[in-house]
Amino acid sequence: TFATIRPSQFMPEASDNSGLVVEVLPSLEDGYELSLDEHSIVVNFTATDTSGNTAICQTHVRVRDAEAPAFTRCPQSAQSYPMELGRNDRAVVPSQLISQGMIAAVDNSGIEPAVSSPPDQILRSGRHQVTFTATDAAGNVDTCHVTLNVPCAVVEGPVGQNSDWRE
């Protein structure tokens, strides 16, 4: 990804003791694309008067990536992790959502951002919110909030007066 530089937008003014017009030309034309990984460039502005005398003004242009990465995949529905029968909690490994491709992010630099997950957790029944973070090379951050649902184990079987199984 590139930042487009337009020297005409920051061209310095020049004057001459003759009072005549001074021509100022930049070393780069408008539309120059600077790669985000280059970070900076020098633009020289050369002023020339009617006698051919010149003066140069150097401007250092620094590109700063201020745009956060963006999650392209962040589940909006709760992710279910049912408990096993006889248990009152469930081990949950949130990083599996990344490895399964359910959570992903991109960055304007073209370099894949680092996506981090919360640590593995032992969760009781209920709904729990966890946060995933995407960080780009410039330190910009985006977050993805995911709800983990841990329902109690479902017991299936005959229940009633004539069954051998009772609650």
Side-chain angles (χ1 to χ4, degrees), residues 39-52:
H39 301 295
S40 66
I41 192 167
V42 174
V43 179
N44 292 315
F45 292 95
T46 304
T48 307
D49 68 12
T50 54
S51 300

Side-chain angles (χ1 to χ4, degrees), residues 20-98:
L20 299 174
V21 175
V22 177
E23 181 182 39
V24 179
L25 296 173
S27 59
L28 299 175
E29 292 192 24
D30 280 0
Y32 179 84
E33 291 185 336
L34 178 66
S35 172
L36 287 181
D37 60 352
E38 287 181 60
H39 301 295
S40 66
I41 192 167
V42 174
V43 179
N44 292 315
F45 292 95
T46 304
T48 307
D49 68 12
T50 54
S51 300
N53 298 313
T54 61
I56 295 175
C57 171
Q58 281 191 342
T59 301
H60 295 267
V61 178
R62 181 172 178 251
V63 174
R64 186 175 150 285
D65 179 5
E67 188 175 326
F71 277 93
T72 55
R73 282 187 231 127
C74 180
Q76 299 302 305
S77 59
Q79 302 302 299
S80 188
Y81 294 88
M83 283 190 230
E84 295 175 16
L85 191 59
R87 301 270 327 208
N88 62 359
D89 58 20
R90 169 73 192 258
V92 176
V93 182
S95 62
Q96 287 179 336
L97 294 175
I98 297 170

Side-chain angles (χ1 to χ4, degrees), residues 1 35-37 65 69 105-114 135-137:
T1 303
S35 172
L36 287 181
D37 60 352
D65 179 5
V106 295
D107 188 53
N108 65 333
S109 69
I111 299 168
E112 190 174 320
T135 307
D136 69 11

Side-chain angles (χ1 to χ4, degrees), residues 157-167:
V159 178
Q161 201 173 40
N162 298 325
S163 70
D164 291 335
W165 188 86
R166 303 261 192 245
E167 274 192 340

